[in-house]
């Protein structure tokens, strides 16, 4: 899970936090969906100019949650983000 209140907006900056410290912020399906939604929201807000994506607990992101592949539908999104995802026209910083 990314976390409740994934996005915080102040001035022209949006911060987005991955909060799955128990798995070093690895991205599962739910987290990927929440990130996609956060990026769509960010892109739709004209007053935001920069998004900062970071991981809680000292780890940015371990990558895909490989354990999620073995259960249910894995960790794949229902849509292809490369084709249907947000085309960010603004700066995104990942730290």
């Amino acid at each position: 899970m990314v976390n409740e209140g994934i996005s915080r907006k102040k001035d022209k900056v949006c911060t987005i936090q991955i909060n799955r410290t128990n798995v070093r912020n690895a991205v599962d399906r739910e987290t990927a969906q929440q990130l996609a939604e956060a990026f769509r929201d960010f892109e739709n807000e004209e007053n935001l100019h920069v998004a900062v994506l970071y991981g809680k607990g000292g780890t940015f992101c371990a990558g895909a949650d490989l354990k999620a592949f073995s259960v249910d539908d894995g960790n794949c999104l229902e849509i292809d983000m490369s084709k249907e995802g947000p085309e960010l026209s603004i700066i995104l910083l990942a730290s």
Side-chain angles (χ1 to χ4, degrees):
M1 174 181 221
V2 176
N3 74 345
E4 292 181 24
I6 176 179
S7 300
R8 297 179 194 261
K9 300 164 187 167
K10 182 176 181 184
D11 299 324
K12 296 180 181 196
V13 179
C14 173
T15 56
I16 303 168
Q17 180 186 66
I18 302 172
N19 184 7
R20 299 188 73 228
T21 56
N22 60 322
V23 290
R24 299 180 59 87
N25 296 322
V27 177
D28 62 358
R29 184 178 187 163
E30 181 181 359
T31 303
Q33 289 173 330
Q34 290 176 345
L35 286 169
E37 182 179 331
F39 290 132
R40 279 192 291 273
D41 291 346
F42 167 70
E43 182 65 19
N44 290 329
E45 293 215 24
E46 292 180 17
N47 62 325
L48 294 174
H49 293 211
V50 176
V52 179
L53 173 63
Y54 69 101
K56 185 174 182 177
T59 301
F60 168 61
C61 177
D65 187 342
L66 299 180
K67 288 184 181 177
F69 278 114
S70 64
V71 292
D72 301 324
D73 294 328
N75 63 354
C76 297
L77 289 177
E78 293 177 12
I79 62 168
D80 182 349
M81 289 298 291
S82 65
K83 296 176 183 172
E84 299 179 39
E87 291 185 23
L88 298 178
S89 60
I90 316 173
I91 300 167
L92 169 66
L93 301 175
S95 63

